[in-house]
Amino acid sequence: LPFPVQLVIFLGVSLCLLAFTRPWAKKYLNSRLTATNADRLVGQTGIVTITIDNLSAEGQVQVGGSYWTARNVNEDEVIEKDTTVKVVELKGAKCIVAKL
């Protein structure tokens, strides 16, 4: 085949392979996620320092020597100050906690 036809076929096949290979490569090559220090807070217990009320967007807990903005897993429940809670997950800079 003439060179321009070969070039078009080469570019077409290359783009197709790139489009189908990239998601696979991204999935398997970036599988080694490094945990941050904050990830170790999940499962730990803490003390409520400011009453946690999801409806008024208030609440703070002390976990592992640092203070975190906190929200309750149960949307309707208010957790009073000085209550012991368990960290269920982290969402950004907020601890999602459950009352013990």
Side-chain angles (χ1 to χ4, degrees), residues 29-46:
L29 296 178
N30 288 336
S31 63
R32 288 175 264 136
L33 298 175
T34 55
T36 62
N37 289 337
D39 293 336
R40 65 186 164 89
L41 295 178
V42 176
Q44 290 189 1
T45 58

Side-chain angles (χ1 to χ4, degrees), residues 42-96:
V42 176
Q44 290 189 1
T45 58
I47 303 292
V48 177
T49 56
I50 297 175
T51 301
I52 300 171
D53 185 3
N54 289 1
L55 296 177
S56 61
E58 295 177 341
Q60 186 180 55
V61 293
Q62 181 182 11
V63 182
S66 54
Y67 293 90
W68 289 80
T69 302
R71 297 295 176 258
N72 191 355
V73 170
N74 185 354
E75 296 287 330
D76 302 327
E77 182 183 17
V78 175
I79 301 177
E80 297 297 325
K81 184 178 177 181
D82 297 326
T83 304
T84 303
V85 293
K86 181 178 180 179
V87 178
V88 176
E89 68 176 308
L90 292 175
K91 286 188 178 177
K94 293 181 184 163
C95 281
I96 309 301

Side-chain angles (χ1 to χ4, degrees), residues 13-25:
V13 170
S14 296
L15 290 175
C16 287
L17 288 175
L18 182 63
F20 290 111
T21 306
R22 188 174 187 279
W24 175 84

